[in-house]
Amino acid sequence: MPTLHTIDGSLLCDHHKIAIVATRFNSFIVNNLVTGALDCLERHGASQEDITLIHVPGAFELPLVCQKVAKSKRYDALIALGAVIRGATPHFDYVCTEASKGIAQVMLNYEIPIGFGLLTCDTIDQAIERAGSKAGNKGVEAALAMLETLHVLEQL
Ligand code: INI
C-alpha cells in the first residue's frame, strides 16, 4: 500500500530572522498583540537579536513597510500587527481592505510568510477581547501561523 506523503510545518523558531511590523494607531490594543507575538516567538526558540520590531503610523501603512522589509531579503518572515476599529464613516472599510489586500500581495509577490495579525473590529470591546483576553491573543495566532507557513515553505 502506498504511503501518504505529507508536509507539515514545525513551530520552531531556530535562528530565523523575523520582522514584526506594528501600528502605533490603537496602540493600547496593538501593544498587547506585540507582547503576545514576542512572547510566542521566544517560547518557540527565538532570541531577541533575531527579532526586529518596526512601528508604522496605521494599518494603511502596513503593506508598504512590509513590502520594503520583504524586498530587503534580510528577514525570513514577517508578522503584521494592527487594529482597525469601525468609526462613524466608511474610513474603516477603506483601511481594512487596502491593508489586508496589500499584505496578501506582498506575501505572494515575495513568497515570504506574513502572519496576519490585523484586527478588524466593529467595537473597541471586540478588539480588547482579541488582544489578550476572552478571545485569546491574535498576535500569538499570527506568530504561530507565520512559523508553520515558514517551515512548510522550506520543504517545498
Ligand atoms: N489606522 C489604524 O491602524 N486603525 C484604525 O482604526 C484607523 N482608523 O480608524 O482611522 C486607522 N487610520 C489611519 C490610517 O491607517 C493611516 O495611518 C492614515 O490614514 C494616514 O495614512
Side-chain angles (χ1 to χ4, degrees), residues 23 25-26 57-61 82-87 91-92 95 118:
T23 66
F25 209 105
N26 291 327
F60 199 73
E61 285 72 37
V84 195
I85 301 171
R86 194 181 288 279
H91 187 70
F92 169 92
V95 174
L118 178 64

Side-chain angles (χ1 to χ4, degrees), residues 53-65:
L53 174 61
I54 303 164
H55 286 109
V56 297
F60 199 73
E61 285 72 37
L62 284 172
L64 174 63
V65 174

Side-chain angles (χ1 to χ4, degrees), residues 107-127:
M107 193 153 66
L108 296 176
N109 287 349
Y110 290 89
E111 295 193 359
I112 188 166
I114 305 180
F116 184 65
L118 178 64
L119 302 181
T120 53
C121 299
D122 288 327
T123 64
I124 289 178
D125 279 351
Q126 287 179 349

